[in-house]
Amino acid sequence: MTTDIKETTEKAPLNFIEEIIEKDIAEGKHDGRVHTRFPPEPNGYLHIGHAKSICLNFGLAQKYGGKCNLRFDDTNPVTEDTEYVDSILGDVRWLGFEPDNIFYASDYFDKLYEFAVDLIKKGKAYVDDSTPDEIAAMKGTPTRPGTDSPYRNRSVEENLDLFTKMKNGEFKEGSRVLRAKIDMASPNMIMRDPVLYRIKFAHHHRTGDKWCIYPLYDMAHGQSDSIEKITHSICTLEFMPHRELYDWCIDNLEIFPSKQYEFARLNLNYTVMSKRKLKQLVEEKYVSGWDDPRMPTISGMRRRGYTAAAIRNFATRVGIAKRENVIDLSLLEFCVREDLNKIATRSMAVLDPLKVVITNYPEGQTEWLETENNPEDPESGTRKLPFGRELWIEQDDFMENPPKKFFRLSPGQLGRLKSAYIIQVDEVVKDASGEVTELHCTYFPESKSGEDTSGLKPKATLHWVSAEHAVAGEVRLYDRLLMVENAADDPRDFKELLNPDSLVVVKNAWLEPSLADVTPNDHFQFIRLGYFTPDADTKPEKPVFNRTVTLRDAWAKIAKKG
Ligand code: ATP
Ligand code: MG
């Protein structure tokens, strides 16, 4: 049937996780239920890699009518903080997702303790008095089996007694651990009697001083999935070796059979993407904070003017892979431009001003010219721009002695002022040092945009602002944070690879008056200069704008030239 053909050809191909889910649904597994989770550790702000994971987990729940939990994986008391908890929830919501449940792994500490006791009772876990060094030495190597700890065959009673004492704070930090009793000769090193619990006298951001033993990742993550009856626990490839232990714990505890699936993490070129490194940039003040617009954090990208829709779209375009790869930053920028092109208000700003005086324009006169807010969006309407005798244009839109293919202004050459008139340069005014300070021009009254009867054909359209009405503002221009494409392959410390020109501040830009009254989250295209958004530093007397992205990919051009 033709309808069938149409449907099958229009459907995007399934990714491998969707294939697994659709098979599970078809087989009636978990009554066809799909329940995912996003499990960040609250030890930093989320980055674009996490955004990828959020879009994947929440997206699958949406697609299959399921649920997605946000679970703070807060089992390590030393590195975690409520500041991070708050930022993570804010970032998830900003991306456009509302968790079905918000949980904390620390809420399960009692349950996890019971699980540990259950393993001890089943003869599957033991307390080991060896030092960390001794445990490491007994671990063996990938080619040589490990050796059994002398404490491996303690009785269940003795283990229960010692574990209770660990919990009660009777032992020193580092003096004992609880280990799973699995197989010291397993080819998977993680299965060689992994440590499940350790003693840590640390204050936890939620449970305070209630606990002095904390579960390790493998004793918390899969168990938390199981407690929440997660059907598809999706994580990044580095957890692949943990899958065997994930299953072992669930099987031996006889609890809900959550399953783990791994996909390749998102890597972006010219970008560092590890919370540890990003934290270093913040703490050592290489950037102004986690939300510095150069940071690959969700909060940095938001401040810079990236939209949630663009990031979601990027995540979809990247897709999911089973093997590590590096995505080109320009794909993300492409997605940002694509969205901003649809929503950004076109406006005018001059970053490097040169004064133009229109000598045949009446002194003191102001004309309010109509201009479109966004030609891509007919609903966006129009606004009025003031035009007068004195204007600002960009320095580099004028050359006194231009090369052949320079089509902007030069003596005698015509130029159109966007949404206004055609002008011509009559006289170049210079200061004592020979620096051009002003252009004296004439305008053609019959060349008004929209009703031009002049018959003149200038080759360039320039942006401008009226000097009398312009508002002074600060504009911040950003470039990639790293100078090298792949910092991971570079022997130098990543901080030596930072781009010294990643931030350029234009202290005194001239903005059209409508840009005086803006709020963060507004999006503008400054004509010919790029997409911009007001920064949080904006004050009523001085707007501050971030350049979100240029109009075209400047790096692609540089790369081509070589
Ligand atoms: P980082 O390695 O950057 O410090 P992390 O893996 O320690 O991050 P978590 O808070 O543990 O950060 O991650 C929460 C979830 O986000 C995990 O499921 C993890 O697999 C996923 N995640 C982290 N980084 C990426 C990435 N670059 N691409 C895709 N998913 C990621
Ligand atoms: Mg982690």
Side-chain angles (χ1 to χ4, degrees):
M1 281 189 312
T2 49
T3 50
D4 273 347
I5 291 165
K6 191 162 178 271
E7 262 173 33
T8 44
T9 51
E10 277 185 1
K11 245 191 213 161
L14 297 182
N15 64 48
F16 75 94
I17 292 180
E18 290 169 333
E19 277 173 10
I20 292 166
I21 290 179
E22 296 204 358
K23 184 163 170 284
D24 287 349
I25 293 174
E27 289 171 359
K29 211 167 168 184
H30 311 305
D31 308 318
R33 207 166 50 81
V34 173
H35 201 152
T36 56
R37 86 288 170 265
F38 172 65
E41 187 182 347
N43 60 353
Y45 281 61
L46 298 182
H47 53 59
I48 181 79
H50 296 114
K52 163 87 204 140
S53 175
I54 292 168
C55 292
L56 177 62
N57 280 293
F58 283 90
L60 288 170
Q62 276 174 356
K63 176 166 180 181
Y64 295 106
K67 290 186 172 157
C68 183
N69 295 349
L70 170 61
R71 183 200 314 139
F72 292 102
D73 199 353
D74 58 350
T75 54
N76 182 358
V78 184
T79 53
E80 296 157 3
D81 204 312
T82 43
E83 175 196 349
Y84 301 135
V85 169
D86 296 342
S87 77
I88 288 170
L89 181 57
D91 286 350
V92 169
R93 288 189 169 140
W94 177 76
L95 274 176
F97 300 106
E98 185 57 37
D100 288 286
N101 299 289
I102 299 173
F103 290 134
Y104 295 81
S106 57
D107 288 345
Y108 307 141
F109 280 166
D110 284 292
K111 191 82 196 157
L112 298 175
Y113 180 78
E114 279 173 37
F115 285 163
V117 168
D118 187 38
L119 288 178
I120 294 173
K121 285 184 179 161
K122 287 172 171 161
K124 302 282 183 186
Y126 61 97
V127 173
D128 195 332
D129 305 358
S130 312
T131 64
D133 286 345
E134 286 165 347
I135 290 178
M138 286 185 283
K139 196 101 200 179
T141 68
T143 51
R144 186 169 50 80
T147 45
D148 287 359
S149 160
Y151 304 98
R152 196 170 197 261
N153 291 316
R154 276 180 158 152
S155 70
V156 168
E157 289 67 35
E158 193 184 359
N159 279 319
L160 284 175
D161 178 54
L162 288 170
F163 191 51
T164 308
K165 287 181 171 147
M166 275 172 68
K167 177 193 176 217
N168 291 343
E170 294 178 34
F171 300 131
K172 278 202 321 258
E173 210 167 287
S175 65
R176 281 177 178 80
V177 291
L178 183 74
R179 296 177 74 179
K181 190 171 177 177
I182 309 180
D183 179 5
M184 289 306 292
S186 172
N188 180 353
M189 297 284 286
I190 287 175
M191 296 299 277
R192 295 185 184 174
D193 290 12
V195 175
L196 303 178
Y197 262 91
R198 58 179 174 160
I199 302 170
K200 197 112 219 161
F201 288 91
H203 188 84
H204 186 279
H205 75 114
R206 280 174 65 83
T207 57
D209 298 315
K210 177 176 174 193
W211 294 90
C212 63
I213 54 169
Y214 290 95
L216 274 91
Y217 173 85
D218 294 302
M219 187 57 206
H221 199 87
Q223 292 77 354
S224 303
D225 284 342
S226 181
I227 290 168
E228 296 173 16
K229 297 196 163 50
I230 297 303
T231 57
H232 299 84
S233 173
I234 300 163
C235 61
T236 36
L237 283 181
E238 68 271 23
F239 291 99
M240 183 116 64
H242 291 259
R243 196 201 311 147
E244 196 179 351
L245 182 52
Y246 183 105
D247 291 339
W248 182 93
C249 287
I250 283 180
D251 289 347
N252 284 284
L253 290 168
E254 300 166 277
I255 53 179
F256 180 84
S258 298
K259 286 277 174 214
Q260 173 183 309
Y261 303 94
E262 309 89 13
F263 73 105
R265 62 196 296 121
L266 171 72
N267 300 302
L268 273 181
N269 60 5
Y270 297 103
T271 308
V272 274
M273 227 198 301
S274 118
K275 274 188 277 192
R276 193 177 52 79
K277 288 183 180 168
L278 297 177
K279 197 171 184 171
Q280 247 177 297
L281 292 178
V282 173
E283 284 172 355
E284 294 168 31
K285 304 219 182 314
Y286 288 94
V287 294
S288 65
W290 284 98
D291 68 345
D292 186 300
R294 291 167 292 178
M295 291 281 271
T297 51
I298 298 178
S299 48
M301 291 182 170
R302 173 169 64 231
R303 181 167 181 179
R304 180 157 168 170
Y306 286 24
T307 61
I311 294 175
R312 288 195 304 264
N313 202 349
F314 170 71
T316 307
R317 278 217 172 91
V318 166
I320 61 167
K322 284 188 190 175
R323 232 176 284 150
E324 289 290 342
N325 56 2
V326 180
I327 302 294
D328 205 312
L329 188 57
S330 56
L331 177 62
L332 176 57
E333 294 183 340
F334 172 85
C335 294
V336 171
R337 279 187 201 104
E338 186 182 52
D339 190 41
L340 292 179
N341 181 42
K342 287 185 270 181
I343 63 170
T345 303
R346 273 50 172 178
S347 40
M348 291 203 270
V350 173
L351 303 192
D352 188 13
L354 173 62
K355 176 71 77 62
V356 164
V357 180
I358 302 183
T359 50
N360 61 339
Y361 196 85
E363 242 165 287
Q365 179 173 313
T366 298
E367 234 177 306
W368 291 84
L369 303 169
E370 185 136 17
T371 188
E372 277 179 302
N373 284 326
N374 183 355
E376 299 291 320
D377 175 12
E379 309 262 284
S380 66
T382 60
R383 73 177 183 288
K384 302 275 191 180
L385 268 178
F387 183 84
R389 184 179 156 92
E390 296 200 358
L391 312 170
W392 296 111
I393 65 163
E394 293 295 344
Q395 290 274 2
D396 66 4
D397 277 336
F398 170 76
M399 278 184 94
E400 191 171 16
N401 301 299
K404 247 194 172 153
K405 293 214 162 147
F406 186 83
F407 296 126
R408 291 167 270 169
L409 288 178
S410 56
Q413 183 146 288
L414 298 173
R416 164 161 300 282
L417 298 176
K418 164 84 186 155
S419 299
Y421 297 95
I422 295 171
I423 60 169
Q424 174 182 298
V425 180
D426 303 321
E427 192 191 341
V428 180
V429 183
K430 296 179 191 172
D431 63 15
S433 68
E435 198 76 23
V436 177
T437 54
E438 236 173 64
L439 301 178
H440 288 177
C441 301
T442 38
Y443 88 117
F444 299 87
E446 67 284 9
S447 67
K448 188 170 169 179
S449 277
E451 45 199 78
D452 182 5
T453 55
S454 69
L456 300 171
K457 298 267 177 276
K459 289 213 176 83
T461 299
L462 315 177
H463 61 275
W464 55 275
V465 293
S466 157
E468 187 193 335
H469 305 88
V471 176
E474 179 175 315
V475 174
R476 299 175 183 168
L477 308 174
Y478 302 102
D479 202 346
R480 3 202 110 174
L481 196 51
L482 289 186
M483 289 183 297
V484 301
E485 185 157 357
N486 195 345
D489 288 352
D490 199 292
R492 287 168 290 179
D493 183 277
F494 80 101
K495 285 173 291 177
E496 289 173 42
L497 308 174
L498 296 174
N499 176 3
D501 302 320
S502 60
L503 169 63
V504 172
V505 179
V506 179
K507 283 278 176 202
N508 280 303
W510 289 114
L511 313 171
E512 68 161 87
S514 72
L515 294 171
D517 185 25
V518 289
T519 46
N521 302 324
D522 284 347
H523 298 283
F524 298 93
Q525 185 193 100
F526 291 178
I527 287 167
R528 298 171 73 224
L529 298 178
Y531 291 101
F532 292 78
T533 197
D535 186 76
D537 290 343
T538 289
K539 304 227 166 50
E541 66 281 8
K542 185 151 195 183
V544 178
F545 282 88
N546 294 320
R547 179 155 69 190
T548 309
V549 65
T550 54
L551 290 179
R552 269 178 297 270
D553 188 350
W555 280 71
K557 253 192 277 165
I558 292 167
K560 242 184 243 157
K561 271 191 211 153

